Amino acid sequence: MIYLNGRFMPIEEAMVPVLDRGFIFGDGVYEVIPAYSRLPFRLAEHLRRLQNSLDAIGLKNPYSDAEWTKLIAQLIAQNAGEDQYLYLHITRGVAKRDHAFPKVVTPTVFMMSSPLPSPPPELKASGVTAITTQDNRWLRCDIKSISLLPNVLLRQQAVEAGTMEALLLRDGFLTEGAASNIFVVSQGVLLAPPKNNLMLPGITYDLVLELAAADGIPTRVGPVAEATVRAADELWLTSSTREVLPITLLDGQPVGGGQPGPLFKRMDALYQDYKATVMRQPD
Ligand code: PDD
């Protein structure tokens, strides 16, 4: 069951007019929220980022946080599976094609749920592969925009190279992955690119930094040079759907010892513990 403009319905029945500005211009924003044991994970943080994305594109939030929370609970209840990921999508709505904002328009609101499998243990045990490529996206990568063509093309490059993710470099510095944030471990320190207009402020990114601080892992948030990425002892990717995964092969070269490193194992344990705690004590 999906949600579209005020109604829950089977996905087959959901229709959006072709003049929707999401379809015509990619004029909208989205969120991806994991739910574990039917409880949305870090919901307040996701709703805050959604608000920031809406503010950035000058679109009024169609619902209050309390309304979103209720709708999300209904969506989870109407779909199978203890672990689901929720996709929220808001466009500027349906209007005659004209780049400028329409004067009067009702936003289109769409939500769907998909099963959320835990990352396969083999992936955590062996790590995943990635390539590097130039970050050729726009300068507002902090907006979770539905205009994902650049990310689609970058991710496709990774897939065509037989790998899972593309690590993006802009002006000699790491920004993020095509659909993830990236962490670097160098000489026992966890390095993370700074949150700015060049990357999406990941909810998982924030959580990893929080968990690292609470566990006394030395951390440095700041520009990460390409040379540091290539000489890394460990590389991780993070996202709401993939949690934390080790990257063990970059551009065909082993990362560190070519195996998931000790700090990854420590972080994964912290992350799984945190998940379990939150699932026992819903907020
Ligand atoms: N993407 N950077 C980009 C470009 C992303 O697309 C994502 C996640 C992230 C990680 O953010 P978070 O930890 O909040 O999931 C970083 C989602 C999962 C997607 O588009 O499907």
Side-chain angles (χ1 to χ4, degrees):
M1 294 293 279
I2 66 95
Y3 174 88
L4 182 63
N5 297 332
R7 280 205 308 127
F8 286 92
M9 63 187 85
I11 194 157
E12 297 73 22
E13 286 175 21
M15 301 283 168
V16 176
V18 288
L19 282 180
D20 192 282
R21 289 176 63 97
F23 185 59
I24 297 283
F25 294 121
D27 183 0
V29 296
Y30 76 108
E31 264 304 320
V32 173
I33 309 173
Y36 300 113
S37 302
R38 296 187 172 274
L39 295 171
F41 189 66
R42 298 228 131 189
L43 181 58
E45 289 81 353
H46 281 279
L47 291 179
R48 196 174 314 130
R49 184 172 65 185
L50 177 63
Q51 184 66 56
N52 291 341
S53 295
L54 288 166
D55 289 346
I57 71 160
L59 191 51
K60 190 174 168 295
N61 196 332
Y63 302 129
S64 66
D65 281 5
E67 288 166 331
W68 279 118
T69 303
K70 201 167 151 206
L71 287 171
I72 286 167
Q74 289 173 347
L75 182 68
I76 294 171
Q78 296 197 34
N79 283 280
E82 289 302 289
D83 295 351
Q84 307 176 16
Y85 79 84
L86 315 171
Y87 176 85
L88 278 53
H89 175 117
I90 302 144
T91 79
R92 205 176 305 275
V94 181
K96 183 168 102 25
R97 185 180 181 279
D98 178 356
H99 289 60
F101 296 175
K103 291 217 165 49
V104 188
V105 68
T106 310
T108 300
V109 184
F110 168 58
M111 291 198 290
M112 65 178 167
S113 163
S114 308
L116 177 59
S118 297
E122 317 83 77
L123 280 192
K124 286 192 200 172
S126 64
V128 302
T129 58
I131 56 165
T132 55
T133 186
Q134 292 308 311
D135 192 343
N136 56 8
R137 301 171 302 162
W138 69 335
L139 296 174
R140 289 305 309 270
C141 297
D142 53 320
I143 303 173
K144 206 160 169 59
S145 160
I146 62 168
S147 308
L148 283 173
L149 183 59
N151 301 65
V152 165
L153 297 178
L154 293 165
R155 185 76 191 286
Q156 186 59 22
Q157 271 185 44
V159 169
E160 284 172 13
T163 64
M164 192 178 194
E165 185 56 301
L167 269 56
L168 309 181
L169 300 167
R170 194 192 286 263
D171 300 329
F173 290 90
L174 174 68
T175 54
E176 58 178 339
S180 59
N181 291 114
I182 305 294
F183 288 86
V184 176
V185 176
S186 178
Q187 295 168 350
V189 182
L190 183 62
L191 309 177
K195 285 203 272 187
N196 57 26
N197 61 313
L198 302 181
M199 69 168 236
L200 185 79
I203 305 301
T204 323
Y205 166 102
D206 280 344
L207 178 54
V208 162
L209 288 176
E210 257 178 60
L211 294 173
D215 205 52
I217 297 174
T219 300
R220 200 179 75 226
V221 176
V224 180
E226 176 175 353
T228 310
V229 175
R230 299 209 181 277
D233 298 317
E234 301 185 26
L235 290 176
W236 311 341
L237 67 78
T238 66
S239 88
S240 291
T241 47
R242 290 180 287 177
E243 304 183 353
V244 186
L245 285 178
I247 298 168
T248 47
L249 201 68
L250 183 69
D251 292 334
Q253 302 294 318
V255 177
Q259 295 290 324
L263 223 47
F264 163 73
K265 287 178 193 152
R266 189 164 152 196
M267 180 52 67
D268 186 43
L270 294 170
Y271 193 92
Q272 299 308 325
D273 278 357
Y274 178 85
K275 248 170 78 174
T277 318
V278 170
M279 278 155 21
R280 278 196 301 272
Q281 299 170 349
D283 54 19

